[in-house]
């Protein structure tokens, strides 16, 4: 992508975040027909439901403001409502995705770099969950995320996922 448009995620972006969660979760591979169907999957819905609450922070972007093609966002969870990459109540968890057409263009890296910059002043770190065989693990490692020992789980798709953590301070 020659030039990218990036902006903070807003409350009105919730429908777009549902579509990005659909991409990030590989929901189509698991037989979930549409992004709206994710609302009935509590372990995934928690990443977007009621977007814009205190602690939520995100970036939306793409080739133009009119047609976003990706998003990266973080949300705080607690032990009772832990996400897949939960490590602590004060460490938000990352969700990130791009539309299929935008993959491999640098958009995901740009979104994540901007979100990391925005989050550094608010949080002590950031966590995520990633499939063990996902090539994005290399990006996360390059940006400073490290695997959380003992975090491997069998995910909804029957493959292995693990948590990664980046400490800011």
């Amino acid at each position: 992508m020659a030039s990218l448009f990036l902006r903070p995620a807003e409350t009105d972006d919730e429908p777009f975040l549902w579509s990005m969660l659909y991409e990030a979760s590989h929901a189509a591979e698991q037989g979930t027909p549409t992004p709206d169907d994710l609302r009935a999957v509590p372990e995934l819905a928690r990443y977007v439901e009621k977007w814009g609450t205190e602690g939520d922070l995100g970036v939306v972007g793409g080739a133009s403001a009119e047609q976003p093609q990706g998003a990266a966002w973080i949300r705080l969870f607690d032990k009772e409502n832990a996400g897949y990459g939960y490590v602590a109540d004060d460490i938000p968890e990352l969700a990130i995705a791009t539309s299929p057409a935008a993959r491999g263009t640098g958009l995901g890296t740009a979104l994540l770099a901007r979100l990391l910059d925005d989050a550094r002043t608010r949080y002590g770190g950031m966590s995520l969950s990633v499939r063990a065989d996902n090539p994005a693990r290399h990006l996360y490692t390059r940006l400073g995320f490290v695997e959380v020992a003992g975090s491997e789980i069998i995910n909804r798709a029957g493959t292995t996922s693990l948590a990664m953590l980046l400490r800011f301070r």
Side-chain angles (χ1 to χ4, degrees), residues 104-122:
T105 66
L107 176 59
T109 301
L111 289 164
L112 184 52
R114 168 77 174 272
L115 183 59
L116 289 171
D117 285 345
D118 293 349
R120 282 181 205 285
T121 59
R122 292 177 66 173

Side-chain angles (χ1 to χ4, degrees), residues 73-143:
W73 67 100
I74 54 175
R75 180 166 253 191
L76 288 168
F77 296 108
D78 59 34
K79 197 168 195 147
E80 289 75 40
N81 184 36
Y84 289 116
Y86 172 84
V87 295
D89 289 3
D90 61 345
I91 301 291
E93 187 175 341
L94 170 72
I96 182 171
T98 60
S99 65
R103 293 187 186 139
T105 66
L107 176 59
T109 301
L111 289 164
L112 184 52
R114 168 77 174 272
L115 183 59
L116 289 171
D117 285 345
D118 293 349
R120 282 181 205 285
T121 59
R122 292 177 66 173
Y123 298 105
M126 184 184 297
S127 68
L128 60 87
S129 176
V130 62
R131 287 184 181 189
D133 62 354
N134 186 331
R137 278 181 66 190
H138 302 293
L139 168 64
Y140 303 141
T141 300
R142 190 172 78 239
L143 293 174

Side-chain angles (χ1 to χ4, degrees), residues 136-156:
R137 278 181 66 190
H138 302 293
L139 168 64
Y140 303 141
T141 300
R142 190 172 78 239
L143 293 174
F145 285 86
V146 296
E147 293 179 25
V148 175
S151 66
E152 296 83 5
I153 62 163
I154 302 301
N155 58 39
R156 292 179 66 235

Side-chain angles (χ1 to χ4, degrees), residues 30-68:
Q30 297 159 28
T32 305
T34 70
D36 280 340
D37 293 319
L38 292 180
R39 296 173 193 273
V41 183
E43 60 270 20
L44 292 175
R46 70 185 63 174
Y47 288 92
V48 177
E49 205 164 51
K50 297 179 185 166
W51 172 257
T53 60
E54 187 173 339
D56 290 350
L57 181 65
V59 179
V60 172
S64 72
E66 295 76 32
Q67 294 201 313

